């Protein structure tokens, strides 16, 4: 009787070259023989059956546990080989049932009145700061970089991202700025140093990020006008801001809370204010997050489509003034992160263990694969309440970026973060 996993993979992989060694020791060459061979070995029958039954979740779990073993090529090579042959086909009724069940469960959770935001953030962002230092740039930007011009380094691309966002925000000295999801403080410090007298408030639900952000701001002498708070955006009251920025946070809001998010933005944004929303997006609704990512990496997260984002924004009385789609930039960013992370494997294993290292390698590889092959992208939406709050052409972006480059040339170097 043919192995269930072999039957699935044979149906799936038509192009490329895959060497599959089953738990029984039986080896098969699958594909048309083109390209570099990727060789996989399954350690035991239980692992083989699990991957065949539920590949969306169990492939990552078995790789994490060292039971789905790459003997030639790496996990990204395997995922790319699979993705080049398929676009998320469902192969049988059992897989369809699993998918529908996950969609229903995630949709219910996203609309639950129980606030799990702080738990969900802590699950990922309150990991050891030393972990993130293994692969992020010098400013600890944990969001998509902007590789303009092409071929620049990760550090240069992350500065370019901050510059591009700052230009679209049209920030002026002395304004009040809010960042929803302030990370390790890099964006806030950049905006404050580029604009004298700027009053910046960054909010986060991560205690680790809060601690690091405050320390960094203090070291740069910015504590009097750059404040970081442990705060859920939903409960922020009594303030108005000239500018609001949110980078890489909207993916954690949850599809059931989009209306609440934009209602709060409308409440907090000055009548002449400007917001810039920077988020991962997809070309059409998916209704649920990848099972492995949901369980191990970003519980409660959801990647929206542009079409899912705009209706609740407009219902909140906000105006969309500009939408920019940035394709492939996150694929490049993730390639840099993964290469850096793998190069420092021994340090990652020392921090946690081999299973954790493989879990994060799978997460980084799978995410990169999603941007290269599943058409994921970054959307930047410029939002106002007043149609006259921004210019009627996009020339100002390049002009402001040029001025920001002058500021960057004189900016003091970033200090190394010490743990």
């Amino acid at each position: 009787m043919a192995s269930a996993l072999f039957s699935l993979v044979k149906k799936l992989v038509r192009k490329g070259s895959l060497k599959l060694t089953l738990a029984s020791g039986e080896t098969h060459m699958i594909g048309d023989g083109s390209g570099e061979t990727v060789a996989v070995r399954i350690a035991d029958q239980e692992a083989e059956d699990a991957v065949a039954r539920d590949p969306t979740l169990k492939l990552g779990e078995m790789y994490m546990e060292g039971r789905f073993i790459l003997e030639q090529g790496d996990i990204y090579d395997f995922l790319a080989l699979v993705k080049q042959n398929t676009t998320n086909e469902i192969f049988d009724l059992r897989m369809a049932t699993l998918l529908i069940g996950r969609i229903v469960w995630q949709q219910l959770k996203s609309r639950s009145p129980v606030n799990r935001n702080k738990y969900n953030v802590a699950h990922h962002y309150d990991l050891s700061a030393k972990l993130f230092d293994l692969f992020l740039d010098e400013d600890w930007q944990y969001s998509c970089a902007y590789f303009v011009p092409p071929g620049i380094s990760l550090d240069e691309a992350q500065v370019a991202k901050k510059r591009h966002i700052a230009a679209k925000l049209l920030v002026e000295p002395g304004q009040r700025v809010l960042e929803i999801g302030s990370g390790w403080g890099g964006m806030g410090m950049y905006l404050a140093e580029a604009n004298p007298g700027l009053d910046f408030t960054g909010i986060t639900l991560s205690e680790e990020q809060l601690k690091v952000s405050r320390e960094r701001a203090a070291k740069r002498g910015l504590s009097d006008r750059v404040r970081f708070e442990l705060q859920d955006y939903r409960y922020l009251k009594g303030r108005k801001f000239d500018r609001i920025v949110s980078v890489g946070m909207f993916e954690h809001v949850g599809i059931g809370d989009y209306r609440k998010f934009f209602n709060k933005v409308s409440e907090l944004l000055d009548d002449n204010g400007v917001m810039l929303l920077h988020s991962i997006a997809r070309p059409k609704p998916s209704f649920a997050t990848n099972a492995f990512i949901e369980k191990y990496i970003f519980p409660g997260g959801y990647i929206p489509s542009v079409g899912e984002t705009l209706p609740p924004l407009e219902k909140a009385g906000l105006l969309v003034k500009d939408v920019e789609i940035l394709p492939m930039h996150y694929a490049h960013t993730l390639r840099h992160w993964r290469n850096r992370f793998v190069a420092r494997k021994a340090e990652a294993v020392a921090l946690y263990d081999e299973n954790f290292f493989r879990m994060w390698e799978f997460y980084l590889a799978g995410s990169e694969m999603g941007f290269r092959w599943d058409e994921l992208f970054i959307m930047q939406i410029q939002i106002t309440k007043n149609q006259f709050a921004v210019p009627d052409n996009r020339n100002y972006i390049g002009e402001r970026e040029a001025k920001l480059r002058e500021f960057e040339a004189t900016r003091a170097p970033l200090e190394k973060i010490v743990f």
Side-chain angles (χ1 to χ4, degrees):
M1 181 177 176
S3 158
L5 181 61
F6 171 62
S7 298
L8 175 64
V9 174
K10 187 177 180 182
K11 184 189 300 183
L12 183 69
V13 178
R14 299 172 298 277
K15 296 181 294 184
S17 181
L18 176 65
K19 180 181 179 182
L20 175 64
T21 302
L22 300 170
S24 64
E26 186 179 327
T27 297
H28 300 273
M29 293 301 300
I30 304 171
D32 63 6
S34 61
E36 295 291 325
T37 297
V38 177
V40 170
R41 178 169 59 85
I42 314 299
D44 59 83
Q45 191 62 49
E46 184 182 20
E48 182 177 320
D49 294 342
V51 175
R53 182 176 63 252
D54 184 8
T56 305
L57 176 62
K58 295 300 180 180
L59 173 63
E61 287 188 340
M62 295 305 102
Y63 180 74
M64 181 174 71
E65 294 174 13
R67 298 161 71 188
F68 184 92
I69 302 160
L70 272 296
E71 296 187 322
Q72 192 170 332
D74 59 25
I75 190 61
Y76 177 82
D77 296 329
F78 173 78
L79 294 174
L81 174 63
V82 171
K83 187 51 64 177
Q84 289 174 65
N85 279 278
T86 182
T87 53
N88 297 317
E89 287 99 331
I90 296 172
F91 292 97
D92 56 34
L93 181 61
R94 182 182 65 250
M95 290 186 190
T97 302
L98 278 170
L99 176 60
I100 292 169
R102 284 173 177 145
I103 288 173
V104 171
W105 176 237
Q106 288 189 35
Q107 290 284 322
L108 288 172
K109 282 200 302 181
S110 74
R111 290 164 171 80
S112 168
V114 177
N115 182 9
R116 294 179 61 83
N117 287 359
K118 192 172 188 304
Y119 165 81
N120 291 339
V121 168
H123 179 90
H124 190 91
Y125 295 97
D126 281 350
L127 294 167
S128 171
K130 294 180 181 179
L131 170 69
F132 295 98
D133 196 47
L134 297 179
F135 64 93
L136 295 182
D137 65 297
E138 63 179 357
D139 194 30
W140 281 30
Q141 290 292 302
Y142 193 30
S143 58
C144 178
Y146 185 50
F147 288 86
V148 177
I152 58 178
S153 70
L154 177 63
D155 287 279
E156 291 170 324
Q158 290 292 12
V159 173
K161 182 264 301 290
K162 288 177 286 189
R163 182 191 312 132
H164 196 55
I165 289 172
K168 289 184 179 184
L169 274 173
L170 294 145
V171 180
E172 299 293 344
Q175 289 185 326
R176 296 153 299 172
V177 178
L178 169 69
E179 183 174 15
I180 303 175
S182 52
W184 288 280
M187 178 62 74
M189 294 191 301
Y190 179 92
L191 293 173
E193 292 182 341
N195 297 277
L198 182 122
D199 184 81
F200 177 89
T201 300
I203 61 173
T204 179
L205 290 177
S206 166
E207 295 185 11
E208 283 294 317
Q209 289 185 333
L210 178 72
K211 180 176 70 174
V212 171
S213 298
R214 286 175 170 173
E215 289 176 356
R216 295 183 74 199
K219 284 182 179 179
R220 296 186 75 81
L222 296 170
S223 297
D224 60 330
R225 59 191 185 94
V226 175
R227 293 173 300 281
F228 297 99
E229 301 173 4
L230 194 68
Q231 173 73 58
D232 189 316
Y233 75 91
R234 295 182 299 180
Y235 308 122
L236 193 61
K237 294 183 183 296
R239 310 185 209 179
K240 286 284 188 180
F241 296 91
D242 302 293
R243 301 291 185 264
I244 299 176
V245 62
S246 184
V247 181
M249 177 272 178
F250 191 64
E251 303 93 314
H252 304 287
V253 168
I255 192 170
D257 283 335
Y258 290 171
R259 184 70 183 272
K260 294 177 184 176
F261 178 84
F262 289 117
N263 282 344
K264 179 56 70 171
V265 167
S266 183
E267 175 190 325
L268 297 173
L269 188 63
D270 183 81
D271 288 345
N272 294 310
V274 179
M275 179 189 186
L276 195 286
L277 177 68
H278 170 117
S279 172
I280 300 171
R282 61 175 69 249
K284 59 184 178 182
S286 71
F287 306 109
T289 300
N290 172 274
F292 183 85
I293 298 296
E294 162 69 21
K295 182 175 180 178
Y296 291 99
I297 308 298
F298 292 119
Y302 178 77
I303 296 174
S305 69
V306 176
E308 290 174 302
T309 305
L310 297 188
L313 186 162
E314 293 168 345
K315 287 176 182 175
L318 298 166
L319 302 177
V320 175
K321 301 305 294 180
D322 188 88
V323 178
E324 183 175 9
I325 302 301
L326 305 177
M328 299 306 295
H329 290 267
Y330 220 154
H332 303 324
T333 304
L334 285 155
R335 174 63 61 92
H336 279 280
W337 288 350
R338 182 166 59 88
N339 287 342
R340 289 173 170 221
F341 184 70
V342 171
R344 300 179 70 177
K345 175 181 178 179
E347 294 168 81
V349 171
L351 277 173
Y352 291 100
D353 56 26
E354 289 273 359
N355 281 21
F356 183 91
F357 170 81
R358 285 190 293 266
M359 177 178 73
W360 266 64
E361 183 191 12
F362 188 88
Y363 147 58
L364 293 171
S367 298
E368 180 186 345
M369 182 271 299
F371 283 92
R372 291 194 186 275
W373 300 103
D374 282 344
E375 301 176 333
L376 299 183
F377 54 86
I378 291 296
M379 61 177 177
Q380 289 188 347
I381 306 178
Q382 187 188 57
I383 302 164
T384 69
K385 297 167 80 172
N386 176 347
Q387 67 171 332
F388 304 109
V390 298
D392 60 4
N393 63 76
R394 303 183 88 246
N395 295 340
Y396 71 91
I397 298 175
E399 294 167 359
R400 283 178 169 262
E401 285 186 336
K403 291 181 180 179
L404 286 165
R405 285 190 182 92
E406 295 175 5
F407 147 70
E408 291 160 9
T410 61
R411 189 187 187 199
L414 295 169
E415 301 85 355
K416 174 70 176 174
I417 298 173
V418 180
F419 312 105

